[in-house]
Amino acid sequence: MEENKYVSLKQNVQEIIDLIVAKDADEANDRLIEVSEQLDDLLDFSDDDDDLIEISKYQVLLNQLQQKIIALRSAT
């Protein structure tokens, strides 16, 4: 996988975190869905073990962010 894919993923995840901090659960959820789809595409076309490990790290992080979004929605 190209390094710029990781840079793009990192930026997108940071946007989600920023939206959660700003308490914009709806927009954070929309961005999370987009990034999840991007990860799924990367997973479909990757067969390198290092890439798969890196993708799985992002999947775990997105799952944690989704839990934060759910908590944010239930708090309002």
Side-chain angles (χ1 to χ4, degrees):
M1 183 185 307
E2 299 173 19
E3 185 64 31
N4 63 359
K5 298 287 186 186
Y6 293 123
V7 171
S8 174
L9 280 173
K10 185 176 179 180
Q11 291 171 342
N12 290 335
V13 168
Q14 185 61 51
E15 287 178 23
I16 296 167
I17 293 168
D18 293 343
L19 289 165
I20 292 171
V21 169
K23 299 190 184 306
D24 189 350
D26 293 333
E27 185 64 26
N29 192 61
D30 292 345
R31 294 291 296 144
L32 186 129
I33 291 169
E34 291 173 15
V35 175
S36 294
E37 290 172 355
Q38 183 182 9
L39 275 179
D40 289 344
D41 290 343
L42 291 173
L43 187 60
D44 289 343
F45 296 106
S46 181
D47 57 359
D48 181 55
D49 286 344
D50 291 336
D51 288 342
L52 296 174
I53 290 169
E54 192 68 22
I55 291 168
S56 70
K57 290 177 186 178
Y58 279 101
Q59 288 175 320
V60 170
L61 178 56
L62 289 181
N63 285 337
Q64 292 298 316
L65 292 174
Q66 184 177 31
Q67 295 303 315
K68 295 288 185 184
I69 292 168
I70 290 169
L72 180 61
R73 283 184 167 167
S74 65
T76 56

